[in-house]
Amino acid sequence: MDETLLMLPGPTNVAPRVLNAIAKNVVNHRSAIFGEIYTETTELMSKLFKTENNSYLITGSGTAAMEAAIANVTAKDDEILNVIGGKFGERLRDITKAHGGKVNELNIEWGTAVTAQQIKDALDENENIKAVSVVHNETSTGVATDIKAIGKVMDNYDALYIVDTVSSLGGDYVDVDKYKIDICFTGSQKCLAAPPGMAAITLSDDAWKVVDSVDSNTYYLDLKKYRKSGAGTPPETPYTPSVTLIYGIYEALKMIEEEGLDKRIVRHETAAKATREAAKALGLELFPQEEVSSTTVTAIKMPKGVSDSDLRGTMRNDYKVELAGGQDHLKGNIFRIGHMGNITYKQLAITFSSLAMTLKRLGFDVDLGAGVCAVNDTYM
Ligand SMILES: *Cc1c(COP(=O)(O)O)cnc(C)c1O
């Protein structure tokens, strides 16, 4: 068995308890017994989203939910405002295009966060904006956006508020009803610490009104079908779901309940702080503005003279710690440490101990104990 430690922004390390839960008999997905686990899982999802509305499970990765969110509310030439400050903002824009929407880009510098005022200005400038897509935690840059403040603005406009919480739900504060989010979605393999392959989505009444008015050009992701099947007796999904992965996500959600969401978020905040402090103690520079840095993933500038393949290759091959690289123009310029899901002091101590040895071996002048010491200081 590969014992590599995943310090990634997904997939994250899956607890043995969750792995055991998926090693169960596959049941008929059109049976009362499946209906029960489906209902319990979607109820736990709604609780995690902090919404009174129903949640739906989609077999597919987070991108399936991104596409469901956009495709179901976008008719040809509908104007959508896509906030773009990284890869995932771009992906929501590309999906909008793919479904015939008219894209309005709100581009912000990668490493910074969009402000509520910028969104207000964009909405005032174009009254035809039908929906706004925001990435809560831009995984590619390690930036967290103030989705609560944006929600206060969105409340004054008819445009739907679509928020990608794929790399934040279960690791940062998300309150769908309070923040007035109309469509919110997540994936299984990030902060939930379940295996990859499942996504979940929830919609407000306002969002459903729009869904009902749009003749969507998606088939597998047609949310009207998910709503109908979810309300059936027994409740079910329109097509065969990954029954096995639903066992996994259910168990992962139970674990979140047992830990307590608030405690879990504080654990993520502590891990994020320890990571930032340890990186700085090793003489590394953070990529994003520190005030908007993510609680679930930290992006760090690649030190001069060190290549991505040397740094991450050494970490992987010699220390069995998997870090993430940069994407697109950030490739080779940053690396990312995911600290989402089950990460605690233990994994960070190993990560920064290995990172210091790696940097030293690559000729970087570094105090071998400095990173771990900063981690310790944060946790003391
Ligand atoms: C990971 C991620 C997604 C979805 O990616 P998949 O690889 O399809 O699961 C979407 N948005 C954000 C912010 C993500 O981090």
Side-chain angles (χ1 to χ4, degrees):
M1 179 164 169
D2 187 354
E3 297 280 350
T4 296
L5 173 62
L6 301 180
M7 297 301 289
L8 299 175
T12 57
N13 308 288
V14 179
R17 182 175 149 186
V18 173
L19 293 175
N20 286 332
I22 67 177
K24 273 201 307 249
N25 262 345
V26 171
V27 296
N28 177 6
H29 64 293
R30 309 281 180 221
S31 66
I33 188 162
F34 177 78
E36 227 166 272
I37 180 155
Y38 170 88
T39 302
E40 283 180 47
T41 309
T42 51
E43 282 176 3
L44 285 170
M45 270 317 311
S46 288
K47 214 166 154 190
L48 190 60
F49 278 125
K50 296 203 187 230
T51 181
E52 296 291 320
N53 296 315
N54 290 328
S55 295
Y56 299 90
L57 301 173
I58 301 172
T59 298
S61 77
T63 305
M66 293 171 101
E67 185 150 12
I70 299 284
N72 282 274
V73 299
T74 307
K76 192 164 162 33
D77 294 330
D78 278 350
E79 299 215 33
I80 311 292
L81 179 69
N82 300 119
V83 177
I84 304 170
K87 273 302 274 186
F88 293 100
E90 286 184 343
R91 188 173 297 177
L92 285 162
R93 171 202 62 196
D94 294 343
I95 291 170
T96 302
K97 273 189 197 160
H99 288 277
K102 196 165 160 228
V103 166
N104 290 248
E105 293 190 12
L106 202 176
N107 279 290
I108 52 162
E109 194 185 332
W110 290 31
T112 68
V114 71
T115 62
Q117 184 65 43
Q118 283 174 297
I119 291 194
K120 185 177 182 303
D121 292 346
L123 287 169
D124 287 340
E125 214 169 276
N126 183 352
E127 59 181 24
N128 295 323
I129 301 287
K130 191 180 181 188
V132 178
S133 75
V134 175
V135 177
H136 180 204
N137 188 77
E138 182 45 83
T139 319
S140 62
T141 60
V143 165
T145 295
D146 189 349
I147 54 171
K148 186 180 180 182
I150 296 170
K152 284 196 185 127
V153 165
M154 293 302 301
D155 200 21
N156 301 318
Y157 295 83
D158 288 337
L160 294 178
Y161 184 25
I162 302 175
V163 183
D164 173 333
T165 61
V166 178
S167 64
S168 57
L169 190 77
D172 197 356
Y173 296 97
V174 177
D175 194 324
V176 167
D177 288 354
K178 215 186 262 170
Y179 300 173
K180 310 287 182 189
I181 299 172
D182 291 299
I183 305 183
C184 195
F185 52 87
T186 200
S188 54
Q189 82 279 24
K190 309 243 169 141
C191 302
L192 305 189
M198 288 300 298
I201 190 165
T202 185
L203 290 86
S204 70
D205 291 343
D206 286 347
W208 279 118
K209 270 184 216 137
V210 175
V211 171
D212 285 325
S213 73
V214 165
D215 192 12
S216 120
N217 63 356
T218 175
Y219 188 93
Y220 184 70
L221 298 172
D222 182 349
L223 290 173
K224 296 192 233 3
K225 297 202 186 90
Y226 286 76
R227 178 178 57 187
K228 183 162 183 272
S229 299
T233 316
E236 56 190 23
T237 54
Y239 318 108
T240 314
S242 174
V243 173
T244 304
L245 289 177
I246 291 174
Y247 295 150
I249 208 169
Y250 170 76
E251 199 65 26
L253 290 167
K254 291 295 278 186
M255 285 181 72
I256 293 175
E257 278 245 303
E258 287 167 24
E259 180 177 7
L261 182 58
D262 288 342
K263 255 179 85 180
R264 185 180 178 91
I265 293 170
V266 170
R267 175 166 63 72
H268 279 77
E269 287 174 336
T270 307
K273 181 159 193 295
T275 302
R276 291 194 299 271
E277 293 308 320
K280 288 189 281 185
L282 288 175
L284 300 168
E285 247 186 283
L286 305 175
F287 174 72
Q289 288 181 328
E290 195 159 351
E291 316 84 77
V292 294
S293 55
S294 160
T295 60
T296 65
V297 57
T298 297
I300 299 167
K301 290 184 186 167
M302 192 64 75
K304 282 201 173 54
V306 176
S307 77
D308 179 70
S309 58
D310 280 348
L311 185 132
R312 291 196 303 122
T314 307
M315 289 291 285
R316 177 189 306 122
N317 299 328
D318 295 355
Y319 300 108
K320 303 278 175 271
V321 178
E322 191 79 52
L323 304 180
Q327 296 160 292
D328 276 359
H329 67 271
L330 294 178
K331 199 171 176 168
N333 297 325
I334 65 165
F335 65 98
R336 294 171 299 150
I337 300 179
H339 31 78
M340 53 181 77
N342 298 319
I343 301 301
T344 64
Y345 164 76
K346 187 170 150 186
Q347 293 82 15
L348 289 173
I350 292 167
T351 300
F352 279 97
S353 165
S354 316
L355 184 58
M357 289 189 279
T358 298
L359 289 169
K360 187 141 197 162
R361 283 174 52 194
L362 295 174
F364 196 68
D365 181 24
V366 59
D367 172 354
L368 280 180
V372 177
C373 190
V375 171
N376 294 355
D377 278 340
T378 307
Y379 279 89
M380 278 297 287

